[in-house]
Amino acid sequence: SVISVCFNSSLLRYGGDIAVGAMTILTSVMQFAMLPLQGLGQGAQPIISYNFGAQNHRQLKRMMKICLTFIVAVSAFIFTASMISGPALIAAFSPAGTPVYEIAAEGFPVFSLSFLFCGVNIFASAAFTALSDGKTSALISFLRTFGLIVLFLTILPDVLGVKGVWLAVPAAELGAMAVSVFCLFEGQRAFCLKTGQQ
């Protein structure tokens, strides 16, 4: 609710009522596009958890590598598909040529950049839950869905106008991804030290 209020306030200030409607379209498309990534993250949890409990670092490392590679590939595919089908997706909500369509079509390429980064964050959060590290999982989720979004909504629109609102979500996902990657490497290093495996 707080995020919705922040977005709506920024959009009303820099783009008006029509921009609020355009944002509704973009978030609806984003929720649909993220479903495969969420499914991959949740599907990997039992495998990660089992190998973690068995202290099988070699298999755990292999599974993490496979999952991350697949997540990155799927994220790139979703981004590419969204860029190609963007106009049709927007037109499903608002006919081409309408003011809402025009603003949404302008913001969609910027907003879609989040598809490149959110997969790693979704997977990392799910993986740390499977690794019994709820604090790190919660940190990643908090950063990508609240903390960094509020920060960038405070800064970017003042500099870039309505484009800064579209950019807030990709910027938050990118910032959270940096934290995710760092935590994944640190987690792997700590597990190696603990188990004595390479």
Side-chain angles (χ1 to χ4, degrees):
S1 299
V2 173
I3 291 297
S4 295
V5 169
C6 291
F7 267 116
N8 290 344
S9 298
S10 296
L11 288 167
L12 285 170
R13 181 179 178 187
Y14 295 100
D17 295 340
I18 296 174
V20 175
M23 187 65 177
T24 303
I25 295 173
L26 299 187
T27 54
S28 297
V29 172
M30 182 179 185
Q31 289 175 357
F32 177 77
M34 286 195 308
L35 289 176
L37 299 172
Q38 291 171 340
L40 288 169
Q42 292 176 7
Q45 279 183 317
I47 302 171
I48 294 170
S49 183
Y50 174 83
N51 285 288
F52 176 71
Q55 298 289 296
N56 188 347
H57 181 257
R58 182 175 296 177
Q59 184 67 8
L60 179 61
K61 185 178 179 181
R62 177 174 172 270
M63 288 308 305
M64 294 287 279
K65 184 177 180 180
I66 291 172
C67 289
L68 280 170
T69 301
F70 196 62
I71 285 286
V72 169
V74 171
S75 297
F77 173 79
I78 291 173
F79 171 74
T80 303
S82 70
M83 295 301 290
I84 294 171
S85 61
L89 292 171
I90 297 169
F93 293 89
S94 180
T98 60
V100 174
Y101 177 91
E102 296 301 327
I103 293 179
E106 181 181 330
F108 191 80
V110 178
F111 196 78
S112 294
L113 290 171
S114 60
F115 299 147
L116 292 172
F117 314 124
C118 67
V120 172
N121 296 328
I122 291 170
F123 171 75
S125 182
F128 280 111
T129 299
L131 296 170
S132 298
D133 188 351
K135 290 181 180 179
T136 302
S137 176
L139 172 65
I140 294 169
S141 294
F142 173 80
L143 289 174
R144 65 176 291 265
T145 61
F146 187 85
L148 291 178
I149 290 180
V150 171
L151 174 65
F152 288 122
L153 278 176
T154 304
I155 298 171
L156 295 178
D158 287 339
V159 179
L160 302 172
V162 71
K163 187 175 181 180
V165 181
W166 308 137
L167 194 57
V169 173
E173 292 286 5
L174 178 59
M177 189 178 76
V179 175
S180 296
V181 171
F182 174 79
C183 290
L184 285 169
F185 276 109
E186 283 298 302
Q188 178 179 305
R189 187 173 69 87
F191 188 76
C192 288
L193 292 173
K194 181 179 178 180
T195 60
Q197 300 183 50
Q198 298 298 317

